[in-house]
């Protein structure tokens, strides 16, 4: 039995009346605001000024930093003096906006509540530090009050938005983003390693929108969830970013620990707008780094997906993962489920538990247990010229250097038009399941 996941928290938040950042009931820290950002009691003047500048940009008001070549209004966060922004609630970015955070540091200190979680005992985990639990494996820990706001930054999504219709043409550039230090900096030992006082959070989340760029950001020590989540995004790029340190989620398997997560909004993982299963398409993840920080180990994955749709055809598509470096990943450094037309090329994976994993995922409901709906085949998989070195992890897991797998649970979801060539591997091999077929004229690596 698993504990309360991010998706469970989101569903619970909706049931309790907690809403997205815009257009609904406020969390404990909020007061009514007139722009896309909440007005937050207790935030410093320079944080309030940044929210106002983002509100103005969302309304089409050009500020002192002008407009870039793509017509986006530039809002600069970094400045001489006090470049640290302590956020007491989610920062919201509207359409046609660049948030240039170069030289700035963002930390989160959101209101929290106590929730009960249950340890996952069905998957491999790193064995330390251990969590103290009751006889059923449950433990209590913080969660953000109003779980749909459990992200440091979210794009503006009008209520009821479907597809990719929220205001887009957005860029977040530079800056250091740290979701846990405000809670744990005085702690040491197991309390600091588990980030006991910090809630699980995302850092940058984009949903129901299009034309999103994340460039040159540094993300520190995320607890349990993701550094960048692209959830129902069309045309997204994450490039030249650093993802340093991850606090392992003890309530789910390591396969869900992506620094860059490709997702789609269903009943239990919708940040804003409609739970319509819109997939993420036309994505590039380029020249990023994932590894450990000074206080936390590395991520489970740099990039991937782990959520399948509830309808046939809810499949992520046209994804390029190229030129990235991953050190000491706890699981598959690149692990893409439910993604068709994917190219994974020229990545360097060092001393990791797993290398590259691509799998289809049959459509199924998210009720427990899930009900099979239908097959979701994928086609067009290129795994080319990657360098992969594997070692056993602290969890005891050692996976494949390259694995391509067709889901056969309930329905057969074939994987076709696969090319695996030019990869240099050490410490692991290649594995292909039944119902995987290769591109004509190519010989897969074995």
């Amino acid at each position: 039995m698993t504990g309360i996941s991010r998706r469970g928290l989101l569903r619970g938040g909706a049931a309790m009346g907690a809403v997205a950042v815009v257009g609904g009931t406020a969390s404990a820290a909020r007061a009514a605001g007139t722009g896309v950002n909440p007005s937050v009691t207790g935030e410093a003047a320079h944080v309030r000024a940044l929210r106002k500048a983002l509100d103005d940009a969302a309304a089409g008001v050009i500020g002192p930093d002008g407009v870039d070549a793509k017509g986006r209004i530039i809002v600069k966060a970094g400045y001489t003096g006090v470049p640290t922004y302590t956020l007491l609630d989610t920062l919201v970015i509207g359409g046609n906006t660049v948030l240039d955070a170069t030289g700035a540091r963002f930390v989160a200190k959101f209101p929290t509540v106590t929730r009960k979680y249950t340890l996952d005992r069905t998957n491999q985990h790193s064995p330390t530090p251990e969590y103290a639990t009751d006889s059923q494996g449950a433990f209590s820990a913080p969660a953000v009050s109003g779980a749909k706001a459990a992200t440091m930054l979210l794009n503006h999504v009008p209520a009821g938005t479907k597809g990719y219709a929220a205001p887009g043409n957005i860029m977040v550039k530079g800056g250091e983003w740290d979701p846990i230090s405000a809670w744990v900096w005085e702690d040491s030992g197991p309390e600091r390693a588990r980030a006991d006082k910090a809630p699980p959070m995302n850092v940058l989340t984009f949903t129901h929108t299009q034309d999103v760029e994340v460039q040159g950001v540094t993300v520190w020590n995320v607890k349990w969830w993701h550094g960048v989540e692209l959830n129902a995004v069309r045309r997204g790029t994450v490039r030249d970013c650093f993802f340093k340190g991850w606090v392992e989620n003890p309530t789910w398997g390591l396969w869900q620990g992506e620094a860059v997560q490709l997702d789609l909004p269903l009943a239990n993982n919708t940040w804003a707008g409609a739970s319509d299963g819109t997939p993420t398409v036309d994505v590039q993840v380029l020249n990023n780094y994932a590894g450990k920080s000074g206080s936390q180990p590395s991520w489970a994955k740099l990039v991937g997906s782990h959520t399948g749709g509830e309808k046939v055809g809810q499949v992520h598509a046209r994804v390029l993962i190229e030129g990235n470096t991953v050190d000491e990943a706890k699981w598959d450094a690149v692990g893409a489920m439910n993604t068709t037309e994917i190219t994974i090329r020229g990545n360097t994976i060092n001393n990791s538990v797993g290398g590259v994993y691509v799998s289809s995922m049959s459509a199924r409901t998210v009720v427990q247990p899930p009900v099979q709906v239908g097959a979701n085949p994928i086609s067009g998989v290129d795994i080319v010229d990657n360098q992969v070195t594997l070692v056993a992890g602290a969890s005891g897991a050692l996976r494949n250097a390259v694995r391509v797998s067709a889901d056969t649970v309930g329905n057969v979801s074939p994987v076709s038009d696969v090319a695996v060539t030019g990869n240099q591997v050490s410490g692991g091999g290649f594995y292909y399941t039944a119902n995987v077929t290769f591109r004509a004229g190519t010989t897969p690596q074995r």
Side-chain angles (χ1 to χ4, degrees):
M1 180 177 178
T2 57
I4 300 175
S5 67
R6 174 173 67 88
R7 288 150 180 81
L9 284 173
L10 294 178
R11 179 167 59 184
M16 292 182 292
V19 298
V21 171
V22 178
T25 304
S27 75
R30 296 180 186 172
T34 57
V36 301
N37 272 273
S39 176
V40 186
T41 301
E43 282 188 331
H46 64 286
V47 183
R48 297 197 303 272
L50 178 60
R51 292 189 187 275
K52 177 61 166 59
L54 289 170
D55 287 349
D56 287 346
V61 178
I62 299 174
D65 298 305
V67 177
D68 75 352
K70 295 185 178 181
R72 300 175 296 203
I73 297 171
I74 300 171
V75 175
K76 289 191 175 181
Y79 63 95
T80 302
V82 189
T84 296
Y85 291 79
T86 299
L87 303 175
L88 304 185
D89 204 340
T90 303
L91 191 68
V92 182
I93 185 169
N96 298 309
T97 301
V98 174
L99 173 58
D100 185 349
T102 304
R105 177 176 172 81
F106 291 82
V107 299
K109 190 65 166 149
F110 291 16
T112 61
V113 296
T114 299
R115 294 198 186 280
K116 183 171 285 189
Y117 301 88
T118 302
L119 289 181
D120 168 42
R121 292 173 170 168
T122 62
N123 297 284
Q124 290 170 299
H125 285 277
S126 300
T128 57
E130 295 182 357
Y131 287 75
T133 69
D134 63 19
S135 58
Q136 283 74 46
F139 65 99
S140 295
V144 169
S145 176
K148 284 189 177 180
T151 179
M152 293 181 73
L153 178 141
L154 181 69
N155 64 298
H156 169 52
V157 182
T161 298
K162 298 180 180 180
Y164 311 107
N169 198 25
I170 297 166
M171 183 179 193
V172 177
K173 178 181 179 183
E176 298 189 44
W177 300 77
D178 188 332
I180 71 168
S181 65
W183 281 283
V184 307
W185 71 275
E186 290 184 318
D187 289 339
S188 60
E191 291 78 11
R192 184 181 181 91
R194 293 188 301 256
D196 281 351
K197 295 175 184 175
M201 291 181 66
N202 275 6
V203 176
L204 309 177
T205 304
F206 304 92
T207 188
H208 282 303
T209 191
Q210 59 188 343
D211 299 309
V212 171
E213 295 180 70
V214 178
Q215 179 177 319
V217 307
T218 299
V219 173
W220 294 98
N221 300 329
V222 173
K223 182 174 179 177
W224 296 12
W225 295 355
H226 310 294
V228 175
E229 179 168 325
L230 304 177
N231 187 320
V233 169
R234 179 168 60 192
R235 295 187 300 272
T237 301
V238 180
R239 67 166 70 235
D240 303 323
C241 297
F242 292 87
F243 300 94
K244 296 184 177 182
W246 182 61
V247 181
E248 182 179 324
N249 185 351
T251 72
W252 286 95
L254 288 165
W255 41 263
Q256 61 81 55
E258 300 95 344
V260 180
Q261 156 76 339
L262 312 181
D263 214 340
L264 44 75
L266 301 174
N268 298 341
N269 63 326
T270 298
W271 292 89
S275 300
D276 62 357
T278 301
T280 290
V281 299
D282 300 311
V283 167
Q284 297 184 336
V285 181
L286 308 172
N287 305 320
N288 302 285
Y289 173 80
K292 64 184 180 181
S293 69
S295 60
Q296 296 292 345
S298 185
W299 286 81
K301 302 179 185 178
L302 165 66
V303 59
S305 50
H306 61 258
T307 307
E310 293 185 298
K311 299 178 182 178
V312 172
Q314 291 179 331
V315 177
H316 309 305
R318 298 178 299 280
V319 174
L320 171 64
I321 301 167
E322 183 174 37
N324 303 283
T325 299
V326 185
D327 288 340
E328 301 178 35
K330 292 186 172 189
W331 202 244
D332 303 304
V334 177
M337 302 180 188
N338 199 43
T339 306
T340 194
E341 296 181 65
I342 181 170
T343 298
I344 302 164
R345 181 171 60 212
N347 301 284
T348 301
I349 298 167
N350 299 312
N351 300 322
S352 295
V353 167
V356 177
Y357 174 53
V358 175
S359 175
S360 59
M361 201 173 194
S362 298
R364 63 198 72 183
T365 65
V366 293
V367 299
Q368 294 296 329
V371 175
Q372 302 298 318
V373 175
N376 259 335
I378 63 174
S379 181
V381 176
D382 288 76
I383 304 173
V384 180
D385 296 338
N386 301 285
Q387 298 182 36
V388 181
T389 302
L390 301 189
V391 296
S395 67
L398 180 61
R399 294 175 59 78
N400 302 111
V402 174
R403 178 185 176 102
V404 183
S405 178
D407 187 7
T408 58
V409 177
N411 299 278
V412 176
S413 296
V415 183
S416 61
D417 190 29
V418 177
V420 181
T421 63
N423 301 284
Q424 300 178 34
V425 307
S426 174
F430 298 82
Y431 186 86
Y432 313 109
T433 70
N435 302 297
V436 172
T437 57
F438 295 91
R439 185 167 304 153
T442 69
T443 300
Q445 289 185 269
R446 301 281 183 178

